[in-house]
């Protein structure tokens, strides 16, 4: 048992991208057994990654790749230093630097983004750290990380969300898009990608997003207390996020924003909130649940059972409806579940797993990103006024926020980008290298876990002058920022073939909702500053008490 402790802690410690955890991570050993081959890249399957296109034109990708040169030889021939020379904290045998995270005033797992920054200042733009037996290489130089992006293969490997994956394995349920790997992941992704990343498919959904956002404004208006603040604002935004993605996935309103949410909606919100909270606790703690069924695990299992059950109910209901539908009218535009069910490559269990994956990946991310946006706007009245003026010019009569209107609202988009820069909710990327790679003058062997230190890059004064200031202007077309630096904002969504599949959806729904909030309310903040902490994603460390003053 004692040997389990450092190992499992290490897994937790390096879980920088919260949607992910360790385990069946590296397929490089398999990759090495196969011979190198060139794979034609289908841009649709690959996904759109503007960051990638800035740095290179992808014509072909070699994956999986046979290492052509052994690390030592590479070092001798080219002067590139071997992996052993990568700087980093020394640490103890087996434990590595683990104890640094338990010292008084030391580094903290719930502030891993700060730990990355502190380490990179001490050890440089490429450093390695062993927390337990796992080596992680953290890269803080965008040009060096661009090499990792270029090396991203057709089947990029990332860490799993461990409790979620473990639950599904125990229950014999498909791992779904978030946690599956290799060809299995590709199969799932190919079935979903058209609906999620195609611009016109997502734009078709702007009208229902407007309806949900309008309901949210009504909900906020009636939730204001005597001082104009909204208690448990995070919970209210969570309801919006769930209603928005739920409407898209299940093709029907869930009822989260009703004055009295339906029983199912209320139960689903409570279940999901508890689920995320528990997931965080399980991810950032010893996974004793793998050894015996701890109390927390039993609770997590119960919540997961319920979530899968509700997902299954929605899917079954839809299947029944489709079976009874008139074929000439069953082609619903933008209907996501209908599309998934129609995919011959997916079983009903796959459909349920993917629907539940999308729901859980969508709610926590968009609700926290929106909360940070509102906080930034409330604490930066000038930026808020500029945003209001822009919205008022484009939509003087509070018309629907259409894709056409959004194309004329660059400042609204800049507010979201600047929010991600200040509070990168996914504060680091995660990849297992598919091939040996030179990064920063060191040879990093295939299979190594590497991460881009987004929080470090985004708060680096050499890259973003006055990083502590909230300045959406820096993202506008007319700003002096070079295009390579601008493209860094894309990394919040990951990169390459495995970048966030909900990106277009998330951006559109957040742009619409934020536009409507600023149209209807002036935001004020009269409390102590809020600090970021990790709660699966980067969240405010206390309730955000924003005053919502209705605009006349
Ligand atoms: C603020 C909003 C969001 C952010 C910042 C975000 C960020 C990310 C990141 C960084 C990844 C990992 C990408 C990689 O490894 O390259 C990811 C994956 C994923 N995201 Fe998002 N996400 C957001 C919203 C959403 C939404 C709304 C959905 C669903 C509608 C979604 C569904 C997913 C899924 C399914 C994956 C796994 C994709 C795969 O492995 O193929 N996300 N997201």
């Amino acid at each position: 048992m004692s040997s389990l402790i450092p190992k499992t802690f290490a897994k937790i410690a390096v879980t920088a991208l919260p949607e992910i955890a360790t385990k069946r991570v590296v397929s490089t050993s398999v990759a090495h057994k196969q011979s190198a081959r060139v794979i034609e890249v289908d841009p649709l399957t690959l996904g759109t990654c503007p960051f990638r296109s800035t740095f290179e034109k992808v014509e072909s990708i070699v994956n999986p790749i046979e290492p052509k040169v052994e690390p030592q030889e590479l070092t001798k021939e080219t002067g590139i230093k071997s992996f052993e020379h990568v700087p980093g904290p020394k640490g103890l045998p087996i434990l590595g630097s683990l104890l640094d995270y338990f010292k008084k005033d030391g580094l903290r797992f719930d502030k891993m983004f700060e730990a990355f920054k502190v380490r990179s200042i001490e050890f440089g733009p490429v450093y390695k750290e062993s927390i337990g037996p796992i080596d992680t290489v953290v890269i803080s130089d965008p040009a060096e990380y661009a090499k990792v992006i270029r090396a991203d293969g057709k089947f990029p490997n990332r860490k799993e969300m461990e409790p979620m994956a473990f639950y599904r394995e125990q229950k014999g349920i498909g791992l779904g898009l978030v946690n599956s790997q290799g060809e299995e992941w590709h199969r799932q992704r190919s079935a979903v990608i058209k609906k999620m990343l195609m611009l016109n498919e997502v734009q078709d959904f702007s009208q229902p997003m407007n309806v949900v956002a309008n309901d949210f404004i009504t909900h906020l208006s009636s939730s204001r207390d005597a001082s104009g603040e909204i208690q448990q604002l995070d919970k209210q935004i969570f309801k919006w996020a769930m209603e928005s993605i739920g409407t898209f996935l299940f093709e029907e309103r869930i009822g989260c924003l009703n004055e009295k949410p339906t029983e199912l909606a209320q139960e689903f919100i409570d279940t999901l909130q508890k689920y995320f909270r528990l997931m965080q606790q399980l991810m950032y703690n010893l996974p004793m649940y793998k050894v015996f069924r701890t109390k927390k695990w039993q609770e997590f299992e119960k919540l997961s059972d319920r979530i899968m059950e509700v997902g299954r109910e929605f899917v079954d209901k839809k299947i029944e409806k489709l079976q009874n539908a008139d074929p000439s009218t069953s082609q619903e535009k933008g209907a996501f579940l209908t599309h998934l069910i129609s995919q011959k490559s997916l079983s009903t269990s796959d459909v349920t797993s993917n629907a539940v994956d999308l729901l859980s990946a969508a709610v926590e991310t968009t609700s926290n990103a929106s909360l940070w946006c509102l906080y930034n706007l409330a604490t930066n009245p000038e930026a808020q006024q500029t945003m209001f003026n822009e919205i008022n010019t484009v939509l003087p009569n509070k018309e629907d926020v259409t894709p056409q209107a959004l194309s004329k609202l660059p400042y609204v988009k800049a507010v979201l980008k600047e929010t991600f820069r200040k509070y990168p909710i996914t504060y680091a990327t995660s990849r297992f290298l598919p091939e040996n790679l030179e990064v920063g003058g060191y040879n990093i062997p295939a299979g190594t876990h590497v991460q881009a230190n987004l929080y470090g890059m985004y708060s680096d004064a050499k890259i973003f002058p006055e990083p502590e200031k909230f300045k959406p202007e820096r993202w506008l077309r007319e700003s002096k920022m070079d295009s390579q630096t601008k493209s860094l904002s894309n990394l919040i969504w990951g990169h390459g073939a495995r970048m966030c599949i909900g990106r277009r959806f998330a951006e559109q729904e957040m742009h619409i909702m934020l536009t409507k909030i600023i149209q209807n309310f002036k935001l004020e903040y009269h409390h102590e500053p809020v600090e970021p902490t990790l709660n699966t994603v980067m969240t405010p460390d206390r309730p955000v008490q924003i005053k919502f003053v209705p605009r006349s």
Side-chain angles (χ1 to χ4, degrees):
M1 176 71 73
S2 60
S3 66
L4 178 80
I5 293 172
K7 194 169 170 179
T8 47
F9 249 127
K11 283 182 178 179
I12 298 152
V14 295
T15 303
L17 190 65
E19 293 186 23
I20 311 150
T22 19
K23 264 187 94 239
R24 253 170 313 101
V25 258
V26 194
S27 63
T28 41
S29 56
V30 180
H32 286 191
K33 280 177 207 142
Q34 298 174 13
S35 55
R37 61 196 162 97
V38 176
I39 293 171
E40 290 290 313
V41 178
D42 166 7
L44 181 63
T45 319
L46 187 66
T48 47
C49 178
F51 189 82
R52 170 187 278 264
S53 64
T54 305
F55 282 94
E56 58 159 358
K57 190 165 180 284
V58 185
E59 272 153 3
S60 65
I61 284 177
V62 178
N63 180 61
I65 190 164
E66 191 82 36
K68 293 188 184 76
V69 198
E70 286 305 309
Q72 255 66 6
E73 287 173 42
L74 189 74
T75 305
K76 255 189 264 158
E77 283 171 14
T78 62
I80 296 168
K81 292 187 188 135
S82 66
F83 188 58
E84 291 69 53
H85 289 92
V86 178
K90 287 274 173 284
L92 300 167
I94 304 171
L95 288 179
S97 59
L98 186 67
L99 298 183
D100 291 357
Y101 293 81
F102 295 95
K103 286 181 189 155
K104 196 169 176 278
D105 301 327
L107 305 171
R108 293 281 170 271
F109 289 140
D110 62 0
K111 296 262 181 193
M112 272 309 273
F113 51 92
E114 273 294 342
F116 276 23
K117 199 173 165 185
V118 170
R119 294 289 201 214
S120 68
I121 290 169
E122 188 178 354
F123 297 107
V126 180
Y127 75 85
K128 75 169 180 228
E129 180 165 11
S130 297
I131 309 174
I134 294 185
D135 290 330
T136 294
V137 171
V138 178
I139 303 168
S140 308
D141 179 335
E144 293 304 318
Y145 193 73
K147 296 173 185 173
V148 176
I149 295 171
R150 284 196 288 269
D152 229 2
K154 195 182 179 191
F155 307 125
N157 278 323
R158 202 186 47 212
K159 290 182 187 173
E160 295 169 341
M161 266 179 128
E162 212 164 2
M164 194 171 159
F166 186 70
Y167 165 82
R168 291 192 182 178
E169 276 167 358
Q170 297 297 299
K171 299 275 171 174
I173 302 169
L175 280 180
L177 192 52
V178 171
N179 290 313
S180 53
Q181 305 281 16
E183 296 207 17
E184 174 54 18
W185 161 78
H186 191 255
R187 185 177 71 87
Q188 308 274 350
R189 177 106 178 177
S190 306
V192 178
I193 196 152
K194 186 170 162 275
K195 281 280 165 195
M196 299 298 299
L197 276 178
M198 292 290 276
L199 187 62
N200 60 342
E201 291 283 349
V202 177
Q203 285 186 341
D204 280 347
F205 205 70
S206 67
Q207 206 270 334
M209 280 175 178
N210 270 274
V211 176
V212 172
N214 285 339
D215 288 354
F216 186 47
I217 298 298
T218 309
H219 179 73
L220 287 177
S221 301
S222 61
S223 306
R224 291 167 63 246
D225 64 15
S227 67
E229 289 178 4
I230 290 168
Q231 297 306 311
Q232 296 185 311
L233 182 58
D234 58 332
K235 203 172 173 127
Q236 309 314 326
I237 299 184
F238 195 95
K239 288 182 186 172
W240 157 79
M242 228 182 93
E243 188 69 26
S244 186
I245 183 71
T247 308
F248 175 68
L249 292 179
F250 303 128
E251 300 157 23
E252 57 183 88
R253 291 295 297 264
I254 302 185
C256 300
L257 296 171
N258 294 356
E259 204 177 326
K260 276 204 169 141
T262 58
E263 221 172 277
L264 178 69
Q266 191 59 59
E267 189 217 324
F268 207 35
I269 292 169
D270 293 343
T271 305
L272 259 185
Q273 278 205 312
K274 281 186 208 149
Y275 174 80
F276 286 127
R277 259 201 306 269
L278 257 179
M279 171 111 77
Q280 164 70 17
Q281 290 170 23
L282 290 168
M283 266 171 36
Y284 285 83
N285 223 317
L286 286 173
M288 301 308 284
Y289 59 86
K290 292 196 170 176
V291 187
F292 56 90
R293 298 175 75 241
T294 59
K295 219 170 147 203
K296 274 205 173 113
W297 177 256
Q298 288 180 39
E299 206 185 324
F300 182 77
E301 202 176 25
K302 221 163 103 187
L303 295 167
S304 306
D305 283 347
R306 184 64 191 131
I307 289 167
M308 289 307 290
E309 205 174 282
V310 174
R312 220 169 280 131
E313 273 172 33
F314 276 115
V315 173
D316 289 348
K317 207 159 82 182
K318 193 75 203 176
I319 291 175
E320 199 185 310
K321 214 167 143 190
L322 287 174
Q323 278 165 350
N324 298 329
D326 171 358
S328 60
T329 57
S330 64
Q331 293 296 318
E332 293 169 65
K333 218 175 177 205
F336 183 79
L337 201 49
T338 310
H339 168 78
L340 269 197
I341 292 168
S342 71
Q343 298 297 298
K344 295 205 169 49
S345 61
L346 296 183
S347 65
T348 309
S349 159
D350 287 336
V351 173
T352 310
S353 292
N354 280 324
V356 168
D357 270 15
L358 288 162
L359 190 66
S360 42
V363 176
E364 202 60 359
T365 47
T366 51
S367 55
N368 279 295
S370 304
L371 190 54
W372 283 121
C373 272
L374 298 182
Y375 174 69
N376 282 331
L377 290 166
T379 48
N380 292 277
E382 274 183 32
Q384 188 183 162
Q385 188 59 41
T386 310
M387 179 166 163
F388 176 74
N389 293 345
E390 182 185 77
I391 295 168
N392 212 19
T393 308
V394 178
L395 302 163
N397 301 311
K398 296 190 181 178
E399 300 90 337
D400 262 5
V401 190
T402 59
Q404 293 70 33
L406 279 178
S407 69
K408 294 182 201 142
L409 295 171
Y411 199 82
V412 173
K413 294 176 184 176
V415 163
L416 184 60
K417 283 188 178 159
E418 182 67 348
T419 296
F420 281 140
R421 187 193 64 76
K422 277 207 85 183
Y423 302 105
I425 57 160
T426 47
Y427 69 94
T429 59
S430 164
R431 281 294 182 272
F432 290 91
L433 284 184
E435 56 186 85
N436 295 337
L437 194 68
E438 180 278 310
V439 181
Y442 302 98
N443 180 52
I444 315 290
T448 306
H449 185 234
V450 296
Q451 298 183 280
N453 173 11
L454 294 188
Y455 181 75
M457 290 178 193
Y458 290 168
S459 55
D460 183 343
K462 292 192 290 304
I463 304 175
F464 296 100
E466 300 186 295
E468 68 294 346
K469 292 202 176 144
F470 181 74
K471 295 205 303 190
E473 293 72 19
R474 60 176 110 227
W475 299 103
L476 296 178
R477 187 171 290 175
E478 55 274 22
S479 89
K480 289 198 183 82
M481 199 196 286
D482 63 83
S483 59
Q484 191 162 325
T485 308
K486 267 190 188 157
S487 69
L488 279 180
S489 72
N490 294 313
L491 276 183
I492 195 76
W493 308 97
H495 54 83
R498 206 154 184 178
M499 76 177 285
C500 176
I501 202 160
R503 174 181 179 167
R504 285 198 196 284
F505 181 89
E507 283 179 324
Q508 184 171 284
E509 66 169 349
M510 287 191 284
H511 290 150
I512 291 175
M513 188 270 272
L514 293 168
T515 299
K516 288 196 182 271
I517 287 195
I518 296 306
Q519 240 175 4
N520 286 283
F521 301 102
K522 187 161 175 278
L523 308 179
E524 294 173 12
Y525 187 75
H526 303 290
H527 301 274
E528 287 294 303
V530 166
E531 295 297 328
T533 187
L534 288 183
N535 248 316
T536 309
V537 296
M538 187 184 280
T539 69
D541 66 348
R542 68 201 75 181
V544 184
Q545 295 167 271
I546 294 173
K547 186 170 173 181
F548 284 68
V549 184
R551 293 187 193 262
S552 50

